[in-house]
Amino acid sequence: VKGGYETFMDKEIHEQPVAVADTLRGRVDERGEIQLDEMRIDPAVLRSVDKIIVIACGTAAYAGHVAKYAIEHWCRVPVEVELAHEFRYRDPVVSEKTLTVAISQSGETMDTIQAVRHAREQGSKVLAIVNTYGSTLAREADAVLYTHAGPEVAVASTKAFLAQITACYLLGLYLAQLRGNKWPDEVADYLAHLAQMPAKIQDLLDGQEERVRALGAELADKTSFLFLGRHVGYPVALEGALKLKELAYVHAEGFAAGELKHGPIALVEEGLPVFVIVPTPRRPLLHDKVVSNIQEVRARGARTIVIAEEGDLTVEPFADDVIRVPRTPTLMWPLLTVVPLQVFAAALARAKGLDIDQPRNLAKSVTVE
Ligand code: M6R
């Protein structure tokens, strides 16, 4: 059942190249245009949308957070990302011109279902990005964009996250194409980068998995971890911290790197492991700020574990460990940088002898509010 892997989580981490490829498959035609046959929302409505609200919980919400950066950039439509359980209790501003996008692996998360019902009552069209065929969310939404990640058995989400980002990116590029926000060659360019991601994820696993697993075992006695990221690296930091909490039961917090000096830096002390997700040096404004953050925490004694692009040597003097990731445009970065964080969390949990597939107190789908 586990395909030769020790745990379902290991199997599902290794299925990520296929999950991304399958989510892309059949959705781009021979002219390079995105065709979402399942998009049963009138194109005129999609053209008139003036706001997108993404509703989700947990890892799915972090996928939505990543998507916000891409969709706003491509479509020039404001995107709000809302935790489903907060949404309907705060009188949200929703109208016929709002497109609600619900993201869920299971399609059965009650918080998300209730939020979607509320959005529909206010006249919003709802698009569900779900992994489970025929699930409640898939049935209740106006349209469904399936992530074709295959069944995810481990309680901690891995391949669903990558497939959700991929589906959100297809949606963003589709809307850009429909609304004429981007030149066709720019959409084609991003689609080409997306198409390269399965091979890059595989290269990353082949090249770094063993080292990251060893690092997880080495740091198994640590009781607290920080994760820092900026731009799309920020939701990746949040997801890295969530994986570690869920699997290894240790305190882990993700921060927007720029927030460090507004408070969290007070937590840094000798030996505290800090993961830092560094943007590509081809975005120097972003990159250099994050590199200074590494220096700041290192100067206060942190053990820095840096996730950086292949060939980015600027991080070397400040990094205790560097995890190298293939070169890719910034918006594609989450599809790679989260992978070592998943591997790390599983390795640390394994070293502690914990049940990786069934962490304590958690259920695969949360079907009560
Ligand atoms: O099935 P869903 O995607 O709606 O589930 C949402 C969250 O409950 C889920 O992502 C949860 O946070 C996972 N345990 C994360 O690993």
Side-chain angles (χ1 to χ4, degrees), residues 35-55:
Q35 301 297 343
L36 301 179
D37 297 337
E38 56 271 74
M39 181 57 81
R40 302 197 194 289
I41 300 174
D42 184 349
V45 172
L46 293 175
R47 276 193 204 94
S48 69
V49 159
D50 64 5
K51 178 166 81 170
I52 295 174
I53 301 183
V54 176
I55 290 173

Side-chain angles (χ1 to χ4, degrees), residues 34-90:
I34 303 169
Q35 301 297 343
L36 301 179
D37 297 337
E38 56 271 74
M39 181 57 81
R40 302 197 194 289
I41 300 174
D42 184 349
V45 172
L46 293 175
R47 276 193 204 94
S48 69
V49 159
D50 64 5
K51 178 166 81 170
I52 295 174
I53 301 183
V54 176
I55 290 173
C57 301
T59 291
Y62 298 146
H65 202 150
V66 169
K68 171 184 167 79
Y69 290 84
I71 297 175
E72 288 190 342
H73 175 63
W74 291 330
C75 305
R76 310 312 300 149
V77 177
V79 178
E80 290 173 11
V81 185
E82 182 92 20
L83 290 170
H85 33 86
E86 287 294 318
F87 181 67
R88 74 188 172 120
Y89 299 101
R90 64 160 186 89

